[in-house]
Amino acid sequence: QAVLSDMKQPDAKRLLRVGYEHAADLLYLICPLEQVDTSFAGLDVDFVPYANSERERLSALVERTYTNTLDVPALDGVRDMSDVLQGYEQTGEYSPDRWFFIQHAGEDVGCLLLNDHPMQQQWELVYLGIVPESRGNGWGEQATRFAQSLARGAGRERLILAVDAQNDPAVNAYTKAGFFELLRRSVFLKIFGT
């Protein structure tokens, strides 16, 4: 993979010429937490803490949330789930007590993965995914508000995340929750063995 500031760079043409594909434009969003409303009214999902012993459960759930994803769909099915979770763990400082199963009526409907960046006084929303049959209920927005509340409660100044610019439902939900664009990057992929 390669990440460039935009498609107009000469390197973009070089990458395309040697077989890379432009996979997505990522928006890096930031939300200052000092004025975020952290009250919760009418939550209809529960946030159940993850434990390292539940790796297989989380792996299967993340894989389900990738179905028909609008976040870099070019990666769907390319990476092994154990590699995906390991990558999520290596973003910032990982602790299982900041990872959650999102449940509705006792059933897993998604996951929320948060990591810390203490030197920058911020948490990162590393991954938020909802299974396809449960999308459109506002649960992603509820999870975002929950993440903001936790980060603020931990004394962090900001919550950050990256999202595919084409993922309109997610971008709209994050914007509604007080996030704004910090920067944008173009992602290029070359997938071998396909």
Side-chain angles (χ1 to χ4, degrees):
Q1 69 180 24
V3 180
L4 301 178
S5 60
D6 59 60
M7 287 289 295
K8 297 177 185 172
Q9 286 195 352
D11 285 339
K13 290 182 182 177
R14 291 185 189 103
L15 289 170
L16 294 171
R17 199 167 40 244
V18 296
Y20 282 76
E21 294 180 30
H22 176 233
D25 289 320
L26 291 182
L27 303 179
Y28 292 84
L29 306 181
I30 186 168
C31 179
L33 296 172
E34 68 272 1
Q35 295 183 2
V36 167
D37 179 9
T38 57
S39 62
F40 295 101
L43 278 185
D44 51 358
V45 290
D46 296 307
F47 298 94
V48 178
Y50 165 75
N52 285 328
S53 61
E54 299 172 297
R55 187 74 162 200
E56 288 183 26
R57 175 184 171 195
L58 181 63
S59 180
L61 182 59
V62 169
E63 190 165 21
R64 284 179 55 211
T65 68
Y66 277 15
T67 302
N68 299 322
T69 183
L70 297 177
D71 254 347
V72 196
L75 281 176
D76 192 23
V78 171
R79 299 179 298 166
D80 181 82
M81 243 345 98
S82 63
D83 291 337
V84 170
L85 293 181
Q86 188 175 30
Y88 289 157
E89 288 175 343
Q90 294 174 353
T91 302
E93 290 187 8
Y94 161 75
S95 177
D97 64 344
R98 291 189 293 266
W99 285 25
F100 300 88
F101 296 102
I102 302 170
Q103 291 192 335
H104 176 70
E107 297 292 323
D108 290 343
V109 295
C111 58
L112 172 66
L113 312 180
L114 303 159
N115 287 352
D116 193 12
H117 296 268
M119 297 297 289
Q120 292 80 28
Q121 285 298 307
Q122 62 194 22
W123 274 17
E124 181 172 356
L125 195 161
V126 177
Y127 184 69
L128 167 57
I130 304 291
V131 296
E133 62 273 19
S134 297
R135 292 175 187 154
N137 291 303
W139 297 339
E141 184 179 343
Q142 290 181 26
T144 302
R145 298 284 186 186
F146 179 71
Q148 290 170 317
S149 176
L150 290 179
R152 184 174 173 181
R156 294 299 179 242
E157 297 172 1
R158 295 170 288 285
L159 185 62
I160 60 168
L161 60 88
V163 62
D164 190 319
Q166 297 299 310
N167 188 346
D168 290 335
V171 172
N172 291 337
Y174 293 137
T175 301
K176 186 176 177 183
F179 285 82
F180 59 88
E181 184 177 334
L182 185 63
L183 54 92
R184 181 182 296 241
R185 292 290 183 257
S186 294
V187 177
F188 296 83
L189 298 173
K190 187 168 187 178
I191 299 170
F192 297 94
T194 57

